[in-house]
Amino acid sequence: MGAIAKPRALGDVLAPGDDGYEQARRVWNGLIDKRPALIVRPRDASEVATAVLCARERQLPLAVRCGGHSVPGYSTVADGLVIDLSAHMGGVSVDARSRRVRVQGGALLGALDRATQQHGLVVPSGHVSHTGVAGLTLGGGTGWLMRRYGLTIDSLRAVEVVTAGGEIVRASDEERPDLFWALRGGGGNFGVVTELEFEAHPLGRELVAGMLVYPLDRARELLAFARDWSERQSDELTSFPVLVTAPPQPPFPPELHGRPILAVGVAHAGPVEAGLRALEPLKRFAPPALDLAGPMPYLALQTMLDAGVPHGLHNYNRAEWLDQLSEAAIETLVGRFEQVSSPLSQVILGRMGGAVARIDADATAFPHRQAGNLLWIVSTWSPNQDPEPHLGWARETHEAMKPYAAGGVYVNALGDEPDERVRAAYGGNWERLAQIKRVYDPDNLFRLNANITPAASRAPA
């Protein structure tokens, strides 16, 4: 495609050859290497609306970027237009008295966490501080506090969104409730989110959290014990056991350097004394090779995993929901990790339930409220390596775990997968979502996502 002239009304725009374009076109997953025709960096919702109309009028494929963490690369597009909200729309403001938090569409989790923690408040969100708030939220939002406070969407109270027609609208329980329902778990299908309003929760600045680390040869018995232990805990405790390779550096002891390990990630959103008591049975059952769990600042928890997921590595993932983590499932999973192709890859198990499960499956667009566990297979490797062994390991591991799957998949963990998998992500809410899509985006302008195709118009009777 030839060069496309920059529309003057868009303001801050980059095209191929401009200073800053090469850096601006990069996204988190280094496997994605696309060259947009235009990168628009709006300053407010009106400039977003202008960019949306520009894409429509010029028939350019449109991508929306916040943190740029979409593993299949939906945050960018070749020969199309990217609306990059991260450059100028990353603000967060907190009203401590009402506990309401307003977050611009380009804000990252780190900005949200720092702003709310100034007042001893939290909005439940994800695990990596350079993730975009909007992208995480639109898919549901799993994280360290979900069993206590629910998914990120469960604290969402209103959204400002630019529709496919260039209209700036507000959605909440009182205004456009159908759109608000769809935005809570329906992904980026309905417009460009330019502001989110959350209700924050009091937590303070310290909690019991961190990791308990074990060699992989203890993983089978530890995963079985941790499964039963976590089911006996209060909703204040959320746990994420992870199979990963220990980096060759402190604080990991030399005998674990470069070896596969089980790291049981924990966060207790309650009093410190109660959190310490909650961890005692696990520590008694198997004293960890490395104990990194204890009282820590919430901001430290929210950045604890950042170093392990830097920008530029190549990434590919597959995911499932698991009802029960049976002994057979554990054996299969650990056996597959013993064959892991890269020391950068990991398998994440997230214990669901608690506040997540106390909301009806059709109350929001996120339908998987009763899922027991999240399984997320993440294959990661260096850019100079042959991708095939790493793609193969992830696919084969996913295939091996299918007998234990509960059905469906987490929207934010979807890769570039067949239509039936996308439908499974939305479960029983698909038809309603397709009807709302027809209202707000009948031509499917917003299709670079876990895409919901608009429902067909009914012929007149």
Side-chain angles (χ1 to χ4, degrees):
M1 177 180 288
I4 295 177
K6 298 181 193 177
R8 294 180 181 178
L10 290 184
D12 190 356
V13 181
L14 294 173
D18 288 347
D19 290 342
Y21 172 85
E22 288 299 321
Q23 179 64 32
R25 75 179 183 89
R26 303 290 181 187
V27 291
W28 171 77
N29 185 1
L31 188 62
I32 307 302
D33 186 17
K34 298 179 181 179
R35 301 186 67 83
L38 296 172
I39 301 173
V40 180
R41 302 192 293 188
R43 293 174 175 81
D44 55 32
S46 64
E47 289 191 358
V48 172
T50 302
V52 169
L53 293 175
C54 173
R56 285 180 63 93
E57 291 165 2
R58 298 183 179 213
Q59 298 184 326
L60 293 172
L62 176 63
V64 182
R65 175 180 176 179
C66 178
H69 273 241
S70 168
V71 173
Y74 295 142
S75 305
T76 185
V77 60
D79 299 326
L81 188 150
V82 174
I83 298 177
D84 182 1
L85 301 172
S86 67
H88 304 302
M89 297 182 66
V92 179
S93 62
V94 180
D95 184 330
R97 179 170 296 182
S98 67
R99 300 212 311 259
R100 290 300 173 103
V101 184
R102 301 173 79 92
V103 181
Q104 287 187 299
L108 304 183
L109 298 190
L112 171 62
D113 294 334
R114 290 189 296 272
T116 52
Q117 277 290 278
Q118 289 183 13
H119 307 279
L121 300 171
V122 294
V123 172
S125 61
H127 298 89
V128 176
S129 71
H130 47 79
T131 304
V133 176
L136 173 88
T137 303
L138 293 174
T142 61
W144 290 116
L145 305 181
M146 64 184 177
R147 284 177 48 83
R148 172 73 186 275
Y149 296 122
L151 302 170
T152 308
I153 54 172
D154 299 331
S155 296
L156 188 63
R157 298 295 174 260
V159 182
E160 180 186 80
V161 59
V162 176
T163 69
E167 185 181 6
I168 303 170
V169 303
R170 179 180 168 87
S172 67
D173 282 334
E174 293 76 34
E175 305 168 83
R176 295 178 176 83
D178 58 339
L179 178 59
F180 186 53
W181 176 88
L183 290 167
R184 288 175 290 167
N189 276 282
F190 304 96
V192 183
V193 169
T194 51
E195 186 175 83
L196 308 101
E197 182 178 330
F198 293 100
E199 178 180 354
H201 308 274
L203 183 67
R205 294 176 176 83
E206 187 177 71
L207 75 169
V208 171
M211 291 188 299
L212 302 173
V213 177
Y214 304 88
L216 191 68
D217 59 15
R218 301 294 306 275
R220 292 169 175 83
E221 60 180 322
L222 258 298
L223 284 172
F225 182 87
R227 171 199 62 203
D228 300 336
W229 162 76
S230 64
E231 290 178 356
R232 296 191 296 268
Q233 300 304 313
S234 73
D235 295 349
E236 293 174 324
L237 182 79
T238 299
S239 60
F240 281 87
V242 180
L243 298 171
V244 67
T245 300
Q249 60 194 38
F252 294 90
E255 61 269 21
L256 292 182
H257 285 184
R259 293 184 57 192
I261 58 172
L262 169 67
V264 182
V266 294
H268 188 278
V272 167
E273 296 78 9
L276 293 173
R277 286 195 302 271
L279 297 185
E280 287 176 1
L282 185 58
K283 293 184 179 184
R284 281 199 307 269
F285 177 79
L290 176 63
D291 187 345
L292 298 175
M296 66 188 301
Y298 178 71
L299 290 180
L301 170 67
Q302 288 295 93
T303 57
M304 179 176 68
L305 303 180
D306 285 5
V309 286
H311 289 74
L313 293 176
H314 288 194
N315 293 273
Y316 178 85
N317 62 215
R318 284 290 184 264
E320 292 286 348
W321 297 112
L322 308 177
D323 278 337
Q324 299 293 330
L325 191 61
S326 66
E327 275 72 12
I330 291 171
E331 177 62 37
T332 300
L333 199 57
V334 176
R336 286 299 309 159
F337 198 75
E338 288 173 339
Q339 303 175 50
V340 69
S341 62
S342 168
L344 303 174
S345 298
Q346 56 187 306
V347 174
I348 302 165
L349 289 165
R351 176 72 178 134
M352 305 298 290
V356 176
R358 288 197 292 272
I359 295 176
D360 291 340
D362 61 356
T364 66
F366 181 93
H368 305 289
R369 295 289 181 171
Q370 298 305 313
N373 299 272
L374 170 64
L375 168 66
W376 202 330
I377 302 159
V378 183
S379 186
T380 305
W381 63 97
S382 299
N384 59 350
Q385 293 182 319
D386 177 5
E388 289 307 316
H390 312 298
L391 297 173
W393 175 81
R395 290 167 180 159
E396 291 162 13
T397 302
H398 181 227
E399 191 67 27
M401 291 301 294
K402 280 185 178 179
Y404 315 107
V409 61
Y410 179 32
V411 168
N412 286 345
L414 266 175
D416 188 6
E417 301 182 50
D419 289 345
E420 59 266 23
R421 285 277 288 171
V422 177
R423 281 181 175 253
Y426 301 114
N429 291 330
W430 171 269
E431 294 298 335
R432 184 179 175 187
L433 285 164
Q435 294 292 338
I436 297 170
K437 177 78 169 184
R438 186 179 69 182
V439 173
Y440 288 96
D441 186 16
D443 298 321
N444 206 11
L445 177 68
F446 300 109
R447 59 185 179 273
L448 291 180
N449 44 48
N451 193 236
I452 299 165
T453 51
S457 299
R458 293 187 176 90

